[in-house]
Amino acid sequence: SQAFYDIRAAVTREQSAPFVIEDARIRAPKNDEVLVKILATGMCHTDMIVRDQYYPVPLPAVLGHEGAGIVEAVGPNVKDIQVGDHVVLTYGYCSHCHQCSDGHAAYCDEFYPRNFQGTGMDGETALQDAKGEPLHDHFFAQSSFATYALSLENNAVKVPADAPLELLGPLGCGIQTGAGAVINSLKVTPGSSFVSFGAGAVGLSAVLAARVAGATTIIAVDVVPSRLELALELGATHVINSKDEDPVARIKEITNGGTKFALESTGRPQVLRQGIDSLGLLGAIGVVGAPKLGTDSTFDVNDVLLGGKTIRGIVEGDSNPKQFIPLLVELYQQGRFPFDKLVKFYDFDQINEAAADSERGVTLKPIVRIS
Ligand code: NAD
Ligand code: ZN
């Protein structure tokens, strides 16, 4: 086995700069690390907000956190993953803190450093550019906008070899976030009402999951008409364009007083407020949309108090990825979770087009074919 691999990586050198594909090198896996040859990587809004430095990941960095590929090499302590396995890469977690031990790895004590610090936990990068300078990496324990990515055994999730691997990367973040919020966190019940504020990749994954969970009133709220049309196709029973009508009044009308469950994925504090206001008695809203650090929102204290309302933050759908990602693959293969309808593929050298199409609302979930 070799010490370094020559790779191609999309580098973000400055705040809001376009991705530039460069030659780079990545070191071989150690300990419980897994080196994955990346087939395709989904693009999530979180890549854009980090490129724009809402979260201060140090630059230059290689982003990308919805990677799918084939295991190329493993470190000596890897137990359950072998060279040639098909894997989806998900977020990093330590496996041994209180929350990880309790099955809530998305709230790992080390979530921030393992996903956003821009180096491994030893403070070193595994990547260097063509001049030998370090490139910040380990983004979501992978940095998968690159032909190879280094991750750990615990965040590389094996998937069946007969599943379409190039499609599966987004299950590692955006799709798992929307679906897990509905199934694991809110625990949407059969016959209930559910409102998705935001019909982007996360919000529409939530719509698909609400249908799996048996909700009978499923409302999507957005400001982009094409997204609302797709929501109807995917199982929403009602859609609301909040540019044209007041979503709170309309939701109360449709649900006879307020919805039981809601999810906010727009990252806008005023939309979160609409979500809280549109809950019915004992209703619960999940918060997944990420604004700039330090953003405040408001709620009417007595409305929350007297209504018995719950406002709940949700990271990565609070899922146990080694169980939940294979479950989503199985639902997809059974035709019950058609998340492929959200996806458009781009070549690696079209990565900036993928980002622009996502930001303009043209493409819901870009997947960049890497190799
Ligand atoms: P997206 O851009 O595809 O979706 C956001 C949607 O909100 C868009 O469809 C947009 O048209 C809609 N929107 C904007 N303004 C609106 C308004 N006033 N009313 C209603 N809808 C409005 O992004 P995404 O990939 O679906 O991600 C959604 C959010 O979730 C982002 O903030 C992302 O960073 C965050 N995220 C969080 C987690 C987590 O673990 N909590 C994981 C993944 C993504
Ligand atoms: Zn993401």
Side-chain angles (χ1 to χ4, degrees):
S1 69
Q2 49 197 112
F4 281 94
Y5 293 75
D6 289 323
I7 69 168
R8 307 261 299 150
V11 181
T12 300
R13 291 216 167 253
E14 280 159 37
Q15 177 172 11
S16 304
F19 298 102
V20 178
I21 298 176
E22 300 183 11
D23 291 325
R25 297 205 306 170
I26 194 167
R27 68 162 171 76
K30 306 189 280 200
N31 306 324
D32 57 342
E33 290 173 343
V34 174
L35 183 73
V36 179
K37 184 174 201 293
I38 298 294
L39 183 61
T41 302
M43 185 174 277
C44 167
H45 197 78
T46 307
D47 293 303
M48 264 77 97
I49 69 174
V50 169
R51 177 200 63 191
D52 296 342
Q53 297 279 284
Y54 283 31
Y55 292 178
V57 173
L59 302 178
V62 175
L63 305 178
H65 65 285
E66 293 184 342
I70 298 176
V71 175
E72 173 84 15
V74 297
N77 302 340
V78 169
K79 295 191 188 76
D80 298 326
I81 290 185
Q82 285 164 5
V83 171
D85 281 347
H86 289 196
V87 291
V88 167
L89 302 179
T90 189
Y91 61 88
Y93 54 99
C94 77
S95 287
H96 48 71
C97 72
H98 180 80
Q99 295 76 246
C100 283
S101 309
D102 221 17
H104 298 287
Y107 305 95
C108 174
D109 280 345
E110 295 177 352
F111 191 88
Y112 198 88
R114 283 179 182 266
N115 293 289
F116 296 111
Q117 127 182 325
T119 67
M121 291 303 280
D122 59 2
E124 303 286 328
T125 70
L127 283 180
Q128 45 183 254
D129 69 10
K131 292 184 184 144
E133 299 292 328
L135 285 172
H136 289 287
D137 62 1
H138 287 83
F139 183 58
F140 276 85
Q142 53 184 287
S143 292
S144 49
F145 288 150
T147 50
Y148 289 83
L150 201 60
S151 86
L152 296 173
E153 178 170 24
N154 73 353
N155 70 293
V157 180
K158 265 196 268 185
V159 291
D162 65 354
L165 187 57
E166 62 177 8
L167 181 65
L168 303 184
L171 297 178
C173 180
I175 310 281
Q176 147 171 276
T177 293
V182 164
I183 292 172
N184 303 317
S185 314
L186 294 170
K187 300 190 195 316
V188 168
T189 46
S192 66
S193 46
F194 170 75
V195 183
S196 189
F197 286 87
V202 171
L204 289 178
S205 304
V207 165
L208 287 171
R211 195 173 169 197
V212 170
T216 43
T217 302
I218 302 175
I219 306 171
V221 183
D222 206 292
V223 290
V224 179
S226 60
R227 296 191 164 198
L228 294 173
E229 276 163 37
L230 183 59
L232 284 171
E233 202 184 304
L234 298 177
T237 55
H238 304 75
V239 294
I240 300 171
N241 186 332
S242 53
K243 268 190 184 156
D244 300 341
E245 51 185 341
D246 171 15
V248 178
R250 183 78 183 105
I251 289 163
K252 288 193 168 167
E253 187 182 277
I254 296 167
T255 57
N256 290 319
T259 182
K260 177 80 182 163
F261 301 104
L263 187 69
E264 149 43 43
S265 66
T266 73
R268 289 164 197 261
Q270 68 277 23
V271 178
L272 175 56
R273 174 63 194 259
Q274 292 169 346
I276 298 165
D277 289 347
S278 59
L279 293 176
L281 296 171
L282 294 174
I285 182 163
V287 183
V288 297
K292 283 197 165 125
L293 293 179
T295 304
D296 285 339
S297 183
T298 63
F299 59 85
D300 177 331
V301 175
N302 284 301
D303 172 55
V304 169
L305 185 163
L306 297 167
K309 297 183 177 182
T310 302
I311 305 165
R312 153 114 201 238
I314 303 171
V315 177
E316 296 290 336
D318 193 12
S319 76
N320 174 347
K322 297 245 171 183
Q323 286 174 355
F324 196 61
I325 291 173
L327 169 72
L328 293 177
V329 172
E330 194 179 351
L331 285 168
Y332 169 74
Q333 288 181 311
Q334 291 180 351
R336 296 163 69 196
F337 189 73
F339 75 97
D340 57 317
K341 294 201 172 135
L342 312 182
V343 163
K344 182 174 171 195
F345 285 97
Y346 295 78
D347 291 334
F348 198 13
D349 61 11
Q350 297 176 302
I351 185 169
N352 290 300
E353 218 172 303
D357 284 357
S358 166
E359 289 181 304
R360 283 187 298 135
V362 176
T363 301
L364 271 152
K365 175 54 76 181
I367 297 182
V368 183
R369 290 185 210 268
I370 308 268
S371 54

